[in-house]
Amino acid sequence: MSTPRVQLLIEDQHVVMDNGILQVTLSNPGGIVTGIQYNGIDNLLEVLDLETNRGYWDLVWSQAGSTGTTGTFDVFEGTTFRVIVENEEQVEISFTRTWDPSLEGKFVSLNLDKRFIMLRNSSGFYSYAIFEHLADWPPFNLPQTRIVFQLRKDKFHYMVVADNRQRFMPLPDDRQPERGEPLDFPEAVLLVDPVEPEFKGEVDDKYQYSCENKDLHVHGWICFDPPTGFWQITPSSEFRSGGPLKQNLTSHVGPYTLAMFLSAHYAGEDLVLKLNPGEPWKKVFGPVFMYLNSVMDKDNALSLWDDAKEQYLKEVYCWPYSFPASEDFPCSDQRGKISGRLQVLDRYISHECIAANDAYVGLAPPGDVGSWQRECKGYQFWTKTDGDGFFCIGDIRTGDYNLYAWIPGFIGDYRNDTVITVTAGCEIDVGDLVYEPPRDGPTVWEIGIPDRSAAEFYIPDPNPKYINKLFINHPDRFRQYGLWERYADLYPDGDLVYKVGHSDYKKDWFFAQVNRKKDDGTLEGTTWQIKFKLDDVDQSGAFKLRLALATANVAELQVRINDPKIDPPHFSTGEIGHDNTIARHGVHGLYRLYNVDVPGTTLVEGENTVFLTQTPRTSPLQGIMYDYIRLEGPPPPDSKETL
């Protein structure tokens, strides 16, 4: 049986794409999605809101030289509408806004081209955008760009982000002042008088549903009457900023579903795109797929999530798509491939190289070691190694890259110093690569697991006043609101003391070193102690303290050895970080590694103490999270005899 062809209806104020399965209406020439008709529902988008608030691309920009992660919010609308492709199999339409000098100060200096695609027999539609800045145009900062869809609040009540993060959600009305009480920051609201009593006493916060890029594939909402799903599917992260561990928003109360491309969340200003004077730039964001599905029986409505996951796999199989008409989106035969094997050499573990299994290996624009996590102008391509350390990355855009990697279980970052040039159709074999992680001597003691996360440390139960029921007895228990306040409850007078050989980091190392809130409401910095014994100290030798931080937020970590009052301290990071991870219910932001020289003269036979002080105390949300700490002893006289 033949399926209906794709049709395009152009009106004065609107444009309609229709393939017989769904109908998508956009403003003309603005390119705002004003309506989606599907499964007998006349519009899946919020009909009670303005047309401009239903389905849109937006960005945040600021003047070059400015600081911070905020700026001018712009739901950018096209001024010109064009038909790019129109046939029975496909429609692709474009809404462009072209920059010229008369717009300086009013709009960001970008040519913006929003594209929408509908295919025959496809239960959804695609969108992508091309951002272009010419070298002689004014530079600017770009903290954020994304796609937003606001669905009907009378229809979509069940939200799904992952297999273990799905639930019925409060209404947007419940966040209003008469029904909700704002907490320490506006995103977090205590529901005191929700429309549905079952949500009373819960905290709603969109950041509780954040997700790392490597896992951020498909999310969305389910309507039960009629049983209908609306999903945002991202088959590739190549166009997202920050690499595989960058965390982004997904879906949240509204009901909203987002496709985040650029954001500074969990990173701060380090992930604000900043163009320099004279710097040209062009980037394609997307395509992403808005997928709609349905079933007949309400009792099977939750199966729509399983179907959406299957559709995601189909989209991945088709990536890179062959149908986008822009020459700026290269298809598969215009891309390249790279393969190789990654090994690790740590002579205090093995004399021989060992396979870097489950390592993250990626190509990102050339930069410093670890720069991929702060990179936001270009494209990144990542994979994981197999059990023998082999990796293969396909469908890489042409260009110059460094190869980066990091390996769970080992500190630090790998970067291959050779700039790799990828050309159309190339197949590059880089052979065997060896990562030698930072290491000066044998391990005296260690705390935690080097995996760039604080998840293995002690995560307290939340204050009963601030519960999200989804995260009770949940693997992601760190997503509960207000856990930073629990430190003062657990340590009301003195700070954490960890005794090597006796303490258990899973129970005795609080997941975040934060300020203590005193009874009078003031804050004080905290000093944690690590106590350990040494039977013998080579005072002429050099010890090394490795401090891997999972995140930092307007913090300063000072290190003192055996003298808590020495000034200046033996080591200080200076003020670091604007990750805001503590407030946003995460266990990592940007990874930082500090290597502290510890002269043997600072240590003694018997009991020693490392004092870790977090000093700034202007906010309860300041602090750090540790990934892993290790003290290394002096290297043995014969450096080859290391085991």
Side-chain angles (χ1 to χ4, degrees), residues 422-492:
V422 175
T423 57
C426 73
E427 295 188 10
I428 301 171
D429 184 353
V430 295
D432 287 344
L433 307 175
V434 178
Y435 173 51
E436 297 187 39
R439 169 76 81 168
D440 285 2
T443 299
V444 178
W445 50 258
E446 59 186 349
I447 300 172
I449 302 170
D451 61 358
R452 301 179 177 241
S453 165
E456 71 268 27
F457 297 124
Y458 178 69
I459 311 291
D461 291 329
N463 186 322
K465 295 189 299 182
Y466 303 127
I467 294 288
N468 182 321
K469 293 176 184 175
L470 174 63
F471 298 111
I472 296 174
N473 298 321
H474 192 280
D476 293 355
R477 54 186 291 128
F478 56 83
R479 298 188 188 276
Q480 295 280 13
Y481 174 86
L483 296 183
W484 60 89
E485 294 181 345
R486 302 290 287 129
Y487 179 77
D489 297 336
L490 294 169
Y491 299 93

Side-chain angles (χ1 to χ4, degrees), residues 555-622:
E556 179 183 355
L557 177 60
Q558 298 179 353
V559 180
R560 294 174 172 87
I561 311 293
N562 285 333
D563 184 350
K565 297 183 179 180
I566 191 171
D567 190 21
H570 292 103
F571 173 81
S572 173
T573 61
E575 185 174 295
I576 53 173
H578 292 85
D579 298 5
N580 217 14
T581 301
I582 295 167
R584 290 173 172 166
H585 328 295
V587 283
H588 72 84
L590 294 178
Y591 178 79
R592 298 167 174 87
L593 177 63
Y594 297 95
N595 305 298
V596 182
D597 292 325
V598 181
T601 53
T602 62
L603 300 171
V604 298
E605 292 184 8
E607 186 169 280
N608 294 264
T609 305
V610 174
F611 298 92
L612 302 173
T613 301
Q614 199 297 111
T615 56
R617 50 187 176 88
T618 56
S619 165
L621 302 174
Q622 288 171 303

Side-chain angles (χ1 to χ4, degrees), residues 88 112 149 211 218 237 247 270 299 303 318-319 342 355 390 395 405 428 463 470 473 487 534 537 589 599 628 634:
E88 292 187 353
L112 299 166
F149 287 95
C211 191
V218 52
S237 288
Q247 295 164 94
D270 284 316
D299 293 337
S303 68
C318 295
W319 185 270
L342 181 64
F390 289 98
D395 295 316
I428 301 171
N463 186 322
L470 174 63
N473 298 321
Y487 179 77
L534 293 176
V537 178
Y628 173 76

Side-chain angles (χ1 to χ4, degrees), residues 143-188:
Q144 175 179 288
T145 191
R146 62 184 185 173
I147 298 176
V148 181
F149 287 95
Q150 182 181 10
L151 305 177
R152 285 175 61 160
K153 67 180 182 181
D154 65 330
K155 291 287 187 183
F156 291 90
H157 299 148
Y158 193 88
M159 189 182 82
V160 188
V161 174
D163 286 339
N164 64 357
R165 284 202 284 167
Q166 53 180 283
R167 61 169 295 179
F168 285 100
M169 295 291 286
L171 292 169
D173 312 63
D174 298 335
R175 295 179 53 88
Q176 298 304 310
E178 61 272 16
R179 293 189 178 275
E181 174 187 319
L183 296 172
D184 281 2
F185 41 91
E187 293 87 356

